[in-house]
Amino acid sequence: MKAIRISEFGLPKVMELTEIDRPVPKSDEILVKVYASGVNPVDLVVRAGSNAALSYNLNLPMTLGWDTAGVIEELGEKVTGFQKGDAVYGVPNFPGEGSYAEYVAAKASRFALKPYNICFNDAAGVPLAALTAWTAMFEFGKLKMGQRILIQGASGSVGGFAVQFAKSIEAYVIGTASADSFDYLRQIGADELIDYKTQKFEDLVKKVDVVLEVSSVRDNNEREKSVQVLKNNGILVSVNTDFPFNEEVIHALDKKNCRGELSANQARKEWLEEIGKLIESGKVKVPQGKIFVLHEAVEAHSLIENKSVNGKLILQVREQDQ
């Protein structure tokens, strides 16, 4: 089968389209015939080898990609709840062999049936970003109906899902973003918006239950300001797990009897099923991504690094015939 592989860490040019053996699923895995794979910031980090802790766990050569949609080709002997031919979406094993490939084998527990009302290309852009938002808000942030949440970085892939998930449980959503994203964020349900370029959120927001940091900015001084806007007993959740809270942030949290959580993405079938129901019901809209074919992976990574494109990028592996 064809796959985009790296044999060394480095610039986008280290990615090569090559022929490798089709994987064989283990007893608890499914073999997915890949139709599309999402391109995520973590893919660039892995490819570049820029995160020492992450790179330590990776074995080269390897296939990139941790976001996919396709059709089940084979099932391991212990897999239940799926059958051959099911259209699915999910997150391949991480770290492990990824989804920039014609086939991927991964634990069945990391996949769910694809929402019937979106195509494979759109579905491939959902799992990693949506699960990152879901894990952070509900597993670590414990967000509940009627609570107030401040989402920092609301216009990104993770932030957009976070806004919609929060609104699906009738939370009050305040988002920080640039003003040119306000129309989009209002359309998906944000109640209140703050332009991070011209406004100080700490002067405008008070007594929120949860602050969700999905912005790529890694600044503990900003986190101290986030603690200021929390209620007593509130929760500050960051998806930037590579950037721990410093002593000042921890002290500020303790002073208000608040919690700080670093939220690592968890790929769970039951959460993907819940997300799928929200998409099928129309409560969550999936933005369409810019489409590349598999051999254009170098171009896709280069565009992200050069900040030449907005929104999600998708590698289409096969024609969308289903």
Side-chain angles (χ1 to χ4, degrees), residues 29-301:
E29 293 183 335
I30 54 176
L31 179 68
V32 177
K33 183 179 181 180
V34 176
Y35 275 74
S37 175
V39 180
N40 293 284
V42 69
D43 299 352
L44 279 66
V45 172
V46 169
R47 187 214 71 229
S50 55
N51 184 306
L54 183 59
S55 300
Y56 179 79
N57 292 315
L58 302 175
N59 296 314
L60 299 178
M62 66 173 293
T63 304
L64 295 174
W66 288 277
D67 219 3
T68 193
V71 172
I72 294 179
E73 186 79 2
E74 295 179 25
L75 300 94
E77 59 195 33
K78 294 182 180 178
V79 174
T80 60
F82 291 114
Q83 60 186 5
K84 183 176 179 179
D86 281 344
V88 294
Y89 75 139
V91 180
N93 302 337
F94 185 83
E97 290 300 295
S99 57
Y100 290 12
E102 292 182 316
Y103 293 87
V104 64
K107 290 185 180 298
S109 60
R110 301 171 71 88
F111 281 77
L113 295 178
K114 178 183 74 66
Y116 68 81
N117 59 337
I118 59 175
C119 67
F120 286 111
N121 282 343
D122 291 345
V126 173
L128 195 62
L131 285 166
T132 299
W134 191 279
T135 305
M137 277 203 310
F138 299 130
E139 180 71 4
F140 289 94
K142 308 299 182 185
L143 186 69
K144 297 177 178 63
M145 179 185 293
Q147 289 189 324
R148 289 163 49 86
I149 182 171
L150 171 65
I151 300 173
Q152 298 173 318
S155 62
S157 296
V158 176
F161 281 117
V163 170
Q164 296 182 84
F165 294 159
K167 290 309 299 178
S168 76
I169 64 164
E170 300 179 17
Y172 186 88
V173 177
I174 307 165
T176 67
S178 58
D180 57 5
S181 300
F182 281 8
D183 286 346
Y184 160 68
L185 290 168
R186 290 190 184 100
Q187 288 172 11
I188 62 172
D191 297 290
E192 194 174 327
L193 294 167
I194 296 168
D195 183 349
Y196 72 88
K197 293 180 179 179
T198 62
Q199 297 175 295
K200 296 181 178 180
F201 74 88
E202 66 272 22
D203 293 337
L204 301 171
V205 180
K206 302 296 179 187
K207 296 184 177 180
V208 296
D209 298 278
V210 179
V211 174
L212 175 59
E213 179 189 82
V214 294
S215 163
S216 60
V217 174
R218 288 157 168 78
D219 186 339
N220 273 310
N221 291 326
E222 289 299 305
R223 285 173 168 172
E224 284 191 72
K225 297 174 186 176
S226 298
V227 177
Q228 292 175 27
V229 308
L230 282 170
K231 290 181 177 178
N232 289 337
N233 301 307
I235 305 174
L236 168 61
V237 187
S238 175
V239 302
N240 297 319
T241 57
D242 60 326
F243 188 71
F245 301 121
N246 64 10
E247 290 185 7
E248 288 76 15
V249 172
I250 293 170
H251 176 73
L253 288 164
D254 288 343
K255 191 174 179 180
K256 294 188 71 172
N257 199 29
C258 292
R259 283 208 328 269
E261 300 280 5
L262 295 176
S263 172
N265 171 49
Q266 297 178 22
R268 298 190 188 181
K269 179 182 179 182
E270 61 268 28
W271 291 353
L272 284 167
E273 290 173 338
E274 288 298 316
I275 291 165
K277 290 176 185 175
L278 290 172
I279 293 170
E280 290 175 350
S281 70
K283 291 182 179 179
V284 168
K285 306 293 185 184
V286 177
Q288 293 185 331
K290 182 175 175 60
I291 309 300
F292 296 81
V293 293
L294 184 61
H295 69 262
E296 295 175 326
V298 170
E299 180 183 349
H301 277 227

